[in-house]
Amino acid sequence: MDAVLDGIRDLLPVLRERAQETEDRRVLSAETVKSLAETGFFRLLQPTRFGGLEAHPLTFLTAVREIASACGSTGWVASVVGVHNWQLGLFPDQAQQDVWASDTSTRMSSSYAPTGKITAVEGGYRVTGRWSFSSGCDHATWVLLGGIIPPGEDGSPADFRTFLLPISDYTIEDVWHTVGLRGTGSNDIVVDNAFVPEYRTLSFNDTARCICPGQEQNPGPLYKIPYASIFSYAITTPIIGMATGAYQAHVEYTRKRVRASYVGVKAAEDPHSQVRVAEAAGDIDSAWLALQANMRELMDLVTAGTKLPMPLRLRVRRDQVRGTELSIRAVDRLFENSGGRALAVGTPIQRFWRDAHAGRVHAINDPERALSMFGRGEFGLPLNDAMV
């Protein structure tokens, strides 16, 4: 695992140099994706039986933070594409075989908002519709799409599932023109009446109960963690990484900056700047330390075969949205303290600021939902949310 992290750190200067080009292209280059793959990054959460490393989630998240500190768009794509290898490990074995049997380096993108139409048919489902924000889809040959199966005529309740489709069943429409995370290529996925067999679907209710079909072939502790814990941290960690990159860029810039309004006074000598950078550093550290502690506790418990207590699962989601909030606050403070020259196109601070705010609007970062769940748990009220 150390070799993967070492490879990522060796790659950071290149990713940093490519950051503006990545933004201008609106998609990661094939060279960048190839370089990430060569470090072993995409195999970190992949089952060992398909050439994966089944690494501790913190190894994966540490790598994501490092990547995002060099280029926000690259960190975002790496995280969301990389975490899909973990999710596929929860699917029935035949679905895993479909994707990895002939090529264990196959990648998947996703779009989970249930915006399409799902119709139950014999042996599976018919899927039609448009799904947005599929980050990294140009570098994937399968996609994971969210969909709701309507209530059955037999009285069975509606079910929210993930549907796995090969690239032959969908098209990609280039619609990604945004102010932030411009390099992620998060385009639309369009599906027209594709058949998805039952075995290529996974219920979110099963992921919430931590009882999924893939655990039979992948019995390791990594695959016993709730989906909401892994996926939510795969969204917050790149934002912590962006805040880290903004902090590094700000400190380097401020050491050399002379404030024009104070006739030759170095910005680094301004006590107000010193306070602001300390506050930003504290927020970033708080976000990351809470994430680390929670993920270690989750893994320790599942490794010991202990059932995960609901208060811990609720705390994970609480600290996840708070981690995003703290990171955004840090980036804002650093941007505000950087002066007018930070507005120039190509400067890292304004790119990190835009990228972090773009990541913040992901649905998993909505604080009210996660904080309300935590409050309900504290007050002993019932919980009916699969994203915990």
Side-chain angles (χ1 to χ4, degrees):
M1 311 307 172
D2 289 344
V4 176
L5 291 177
D6 288 342
I8 291 295
R9 287 163 182 150
D10 289 343
L11 190 58
L12 295 184
V14 176
L15 299 181
R16 200 171 287 115
E17 290 174 5
R18 288 179 183 165
Q20 187 59 49
E21 176 191 349
T22 299
E23 175 163 282
D24 294 341
R25 290 166 54 102
R26 298 185 301 111
V27 64
L28 267 62
S29 68
E31 293 79 10
T32 291
V33 176
K34 179 182 178 183
S35 296
L36 289 171
E38 287 174 345
T39 68
F41 170 80
F42 292 114
R43 296 184 181 273
L44 284 171
L45 300 184
Q46 190 166 333
T48 54
R49 69 196 188 101
F50 289 111
L53 299 173
E54 289 193 25
H56 194 293
L58 273 181
T59 302
F60 173 78
L61 296 173
T62 298
V64 167
R65 184 189 182 190
E66 296 272 8
I67 297 166
S69 74
C71 174
S73 288
T74 303
W76 184 270
V77 171
S79 193
V80 297
V81 171
V83 80
H84 295 151
N85 288 2
W86 172 83
Q87 187 183 6
L88 184 58
L90 305 180
F91 274 74
D93 179 56
Q94 186 57 57
Q96 299 176 54
Q97 297 289 345
D98 286 357
V99 176
W100 284 323
S102 61
D103 184 1
T104 59
S105 64
T106 299
R107 291 182 292 271
M108 297 153 280
S109 66
S110 67
S111 179
Y112 294 104
T115 54
K117 179 182 179 181
I118 312 297
T119 305
V121 296
E122 184 176 355
Y125 304 90
R126 286 285 172 186
V127 177
T128 296
R130 177 184 294 269
W131 285 259
S132 298
F133 313 121
S134 190
S135 301
C137 57
D138 289 302
H139 302 288
T141 53
W142 288 76
V143 70
L144 297 156
L145 301 176
I148 295 177
I149 300 172
E153 295 180 358
D154 59 356
S156 57
D159 189 12
F160 183 19
R161 293 195 182 192
T162 301
F163 295 81
L164 174 66
L165 287 76
I167 197 168
S168 57
D169 284 351
Y170 63 89
T171 58
I172 298 171
E173 287 197 13
D174 185 354
V175 298
W176 191 243
H177 299 276
T178 59
V179 298
L181 292 177
R182 288 174 53 83
T184 60
S186 303
N187 290 305
D188 284 5
I189 302 295
V190 181
V191 182
D192 183 14
N193 197 34
F195 174 72
V196 180
E198 174 75 28
Y199 72 82
R200 280 207 249 119
T201 73
L202 182 67
S203 172
F204 275 94
N205 290 328
D206 288 345
T207 65
R209 294 186 299 121
C210 301
I211 301 174
C212 297
Q215 291 170 339
E216 183 176 346
Q217 289 78 31
N218 305 315
L222 177 61
Y223 303 101
K224 297 175 182 175
I225 295 178
Y227 172 89
S229 299
I230 289 281
F231 182 77
S232 65
Y233 276 9
I235 295 300
T236 288
T237 298
I239 300 174
I240 297 175
M242 295 168 208
T244 303
Y247 180 85
Q248 294 167 346
H250 177 78
V251 169
E252 181 180 358
Y253 169 64
T254 303
R255 284 174 177 170
K256 304 171 185 176
R257 179 185 169 207
V258 176
R259 302 192 65 171
S261 57
Y262 291 97
V263 191
V265 175
K266 292 183 177 180
E269 295 175 352
D270 178 2
H272 301 297
S273 292
Q274 295 162 3
V275 170
R276 290 166 189 155
V277 81
E279 290 173 335
D283 283 343
I284 296 168
D285 285 349
S286 295
W288 182 241
L289 290 171
L291 182 153
Q292 286 181 303
N294 288 336
M295 192 54 68
R296 285 196 185 102
E297 188 170 353
L298 283 171
M299 278 297 286
D300 286 349
L301 289 173
V302 295
T303 300
T306 304
K307 183 179 179 180
L308 296 176
M310 184 55 66
L312 171 60
R313 295 173 62 165
L314 291 169
R315 190 211 316 156
V316 166
R317 286 300 317 281
R318 180 201 70 188
D319 291 348
Q320 175 256 316
V321 295
R322 288 283 293 139
T324 295
E325 180 182 7
L326 289 167
S327 298
I328 293 294
R329 188 167 74 183
V331 171
D332 284 349
R333 194 172 297 277
L334 295 166
F335 183 66
E336 293 163 3
N337 197 50
S338 292
R341 295 188 183 278
L343 295 170
V345 173
T347 58
I349 188 70
Q350 55 80 30
R351 185 170 55 244
F352 282 123
W353 183 82
R354 288 184 289 106
D355 287 348
H357 278 272
R360 161 61 184 85
V361 300
H362 191 287
I364 204 73
N365 284 323
D366 287 346
E368 291 81 8
R369 179 180 180 182
L371 297 180
S372 176
M373 285 194 295
F374 181 85
R376 290 183 68 85
E378 289 294 283
F379 295 144
L381 299 175
L383 295 163
N384 297 300
D385 197 316
M387 290 304 292
V388 66

